[in-house]
Amino acid sequence: MENSKLHKIAVVGFGNILMGDEGVGVHVIKELQNPSTFYRLPSTVELIDGGTASFDVILSLKNVDKLIIIDAIKNGGISGEIYKFQNFQISKFGNLEIEKLSLHDINIIDALKIAGKVGQLPKEIIFIGIEPKEILPKLELSEEVKNKIPEVIKMVMSEINHDCLTAKAN
């Protein structure tokens, strides 16, 4: 299959790895990049360690058809609970408490809104959030959040595979 028929997908993990569970998005990206884990990704998929630079990373994405964001979010659930939001839900974030859930100094939702206003918003956005247990200075994730990484990766791979199958059908 020609790569030109495949959609360009960016998978971005956000977070501060120095603050425990706050860095879960970056830990997921590192796991996907780990050569011993055997995750096979199409050449049209880019993995990005976004750190805490959500504004800069989102505005730097060009010609991306699908954006998958992974981040810690506080939504009042149990530690390690996984949330998935899609385009239409993200557009309503401004009316919900979810807008305040991003743990970074610069809100990802604000960065997405600005990207939309300047015409750089990907066609499809999937936001996978993980409820943190501990946000404090340490390098390790809590067991509750660490144990959810395989499930988050399974969700990411499902999104990528779905996109590839859709491209093949067209």
Side-chain angles (χ1 to χ4, degrees), residues 36-57:
S36 67
T37 55
F38 303 106
Y39 294 111
R40 293 200 168 95
L41 300 170
S43 61
T44 56
V45 175
E46 182 179 10
L47 300 174
I48 301 170
D49 172 351
T52 58
S54 57
F55 189 75
D56 293 335
V57 170

Side-chain angles (χ1 to χ4, degrees), residues 42-148:
S43 61
T44 56
V45 175
E46 182 179 10
L47 300 174
I48 301 170
D49 172 351
T52 58
S54 57
F55 189 75
D56 293 335
V57 170
I58 288 176
L59 289 181
S60 72
L61 298 174
K62 294 189 173 137
N63 302 319
V64 170
D65 299 295
K66 186 173 193 174
L67 171 62
I68 302 172
I69 297 171
I70 306 156
D71 197 5
I73 61 169
K74 288 186 174 181
N75 195 31
I78 59 172
S79 301
E81 188 169 351
I82 298 172
Y83 310 101
K84 180 180 171 186
F85 306 100
Q86 295 177 312
N87 284 30
F88 68 95
Q89 295 163 314
I90 294 168
S91 67
K92 295 178 181 176
F93 277 10
N95 299 326
L96 302 173
E97 289 295 316
I98 292 171
E99 186 169 9
K100 299 175 184 171
L101 297 179
S102 177
L103 302 172
H104 312 296
D105 291 338
I106 298 175
N107 190 309
I108 292 171
I109 303 308
D110 288 339
L112 290 171
K113 287 177 182 176
I114 293 170
K117 288 183 180 183
V118 298
Q120 291 187 350
L121 201 59
K123 295 172 192 158
E124 185 176 5
I125 302 170
I126 305 293
F127 191 113
I128 299 172
I130 302 99
E131 186 83 32
K133 178 181 181 185
E134 304 168 327
I135 307 291
L136 50 97
K138 69 177 204 171
L139 294 174
E140 301 85 23
L141 298 171
S142 67
E143 285 301 312
E144 290 87 345
V145 170
K146 184 178 178 181
N147 291 338
K148 293 295 182 166

